[in-house]
Amino acid sequence: MSTVQKDRTTRTEAAEIMPFGGWESTPARAGLDDDETLFRFPAPDDPAPSTARLLTMAVGAAALGFAAVGVGALAFVTLLGGAPFWYVPTLALFGLLSIALTVGAFLSIHRAFLPWLLLACAAGPLTVDILIAVLY
């Protein structure tokens, strides 16, 4: 059995064990090289990001998360006092947008500047959340 056939057999067995897996063995679309793919899960043969880079991104994401917890606590107190119908959906929309940008930052960790740009952009919707929660 050749190594290619053996590799395919291993991937098939893994897909049967974990039906939600398989993204790591999905071939790239024709015409796309790795430089054009901005968001992807790391492949097994990708080099690990530096510890300092990962730690800095994690600290930034944690700061965003702690701020979001503060917004949630303040929103809960506001809800107990009575809030209009638009209050919770608006906070949820901006909160989820901030989370999506943070997830995108971690999915693009192998890029040079994109993760930092996405983490900085994630602060924008969270700032809107903070302003809505504090000013209402």
Side-chain angles (χ1 to χ4, degrees):
M1 181 181 288
S2 71
T3 58
V4 173
Q5 289 174 337
K6 187 176 182 180
D7 188 39
R8 286 184 186 157
T9 304
T10 304
R11 289 182 183 172
T12 304
E13 290 170 1
E16 289 173 2
I17 294 171
M18 298 183 303
F20 54 86
W23 51 264
E24 65 275 356
S25 63
T26 304
R29 292 183 302 179
L32 287 179
D33 57 350
D34 191 41
D35 292 336
E36 293 181 12
T37 306
L38 295 177
F39 304 103
R40 63 178 177 81
F41 286 101
D45 58 342
D46 282 343
S50 70
T51 304
R53 181 181 186 93
L54 187 59
L55 182 62
T56 306
M57 286 181 62
V59 167
L64 291 170
F66 286 132
V69 167
V71 168
L74 188 57
F76 181 71
V77 171
T78 304
L79 281 174
L80 291 178
F85 70 95
W86 57 266
Y87 186 73
V88 172
T90 304
L91 289 179
L93 175 72
F94 285 110
L96 289 174
L97 181 59
S98 181
I99 290 170
L101 289 168
T102 303
V103 168
F106 279 96
L107 288 177
S108 64
I109 194 166
H110 290 291
R111 300 287 166 217
F113 301 108
L114 186 59
W116 309 115
L117 177 66
L118 289 172
L119 275 178
C121 289
L126 189 58
T127 302
V128 172
D129 257 358
I130 292 170
L131 290 172
I132 291 171
V134 169
L135 296 177
Y136 182 77

